[in-house]
Amino acid sequence: MHDAVAVIERGFVLFAVVAALASAGCAGPGAAPAAVPSRAVPPGCDPTAAEVNWADFRQEPRLSRASRLRTDVGEDGMAVEEVLKGPFTPRITGVAAPVDWIPALAESLSAEAGVDLRSGPAPLPENGDSFDFGGDASIKEFILYDGVRSASATFTVVCDDPPLQGAFTSWTTASSGVAACSPPQPGEDPFAALARAYCTAIPAPAASSDVPPVAIPFGEDDFVGE
């Protein structure tokens, strides 16, 4: 759980978060699929010592947390509502595996796919960060988001008969930003499209508008954990 406070000053928002790492997954746009019935791991079955085969590797952006910000309500002219809780956590489905399987599978899939998979929860920003909303004062709603580049694959661990089969999902990089509740813009950050699903309404583009605001994500390296 975390507390979020957003302060607007001259078109900027300060988004301060105190986050506690949680082990539960998240539901919503870009979130992981529901768990399937799990098979027990027999004693002595260890993916670091057994043959592990991988298939169906894929990567995609997923949101880990989102808050809806309105700038036209309340005594201070703003209100923040958390609509998706974080953080994003690596998970195994299909097998009731012990916790030490997560770093073992992360290392194995990293070697197989040539990516650097993480074995812990994706970090959430802890310091205040400012976002520039652009110059369109008609837009009153924004989505502040955190997301990850997730990576997943199905695995087979040959340590029982029949072998154990399941799926592993982790992440490689983390990103944060703000998406305006306005019509999508060409070439915008992929997380913005996911975040915009939490907008209550998206107005039609004005007939004569200036350059509309776009999502302004932080660099992916800013919130990368171990």
Side-chain angles (χ1 to χ4, degrees), residues 44-153:
C45 183
D46 182 354
T48 64
E51 177 184 347
V52 180
N53 299 311
W54 294 97
D56 303 322
F57 176 75
R58 67 174 184 173
Q59 297 187 80
E60 61 184 338
R62 289 183 176 177
L63 294 185
S64 57
R65 183 180 60 175
S67 296
R68 184 187 299 118
L69 169 67
R70 290 197 60 89
T71 62
D72 60 349
V73 296
E75 294 182 0
D76 299 326
M78 55 79 67
V80 178
E81 176 189 5
E82 186 179 60
V83 292
L84 177 65
K85 299 181 182 294
F88 182 93
T89 305
R91 62 189 65 91
I92 299 169
T93 57
V95 176
V99 294
D100 59 0
W101 271 47
I102 289 180
L105 292 179
E107 181 177 357
S108 175
L109 184 54
S110 293
E112 176 74 15
V115 297
D116 186 13
L117 287 171
R118 311 294 173 145
S119 58
L124 296 175
E126 295 181 354
N127 300 321
D129 299 302
S130 294
F131 300 92
D132 186 355
F133 287 128
D136 192 341
S138 66
I139 299 176
K140 306 297 184 182
E141 187 174 81
F142 303 84
I143 306 297
L144 304 168
Y145 64 82
D146 301 304
V148 297
R149 181 73 172 173
S150 75
S152 61

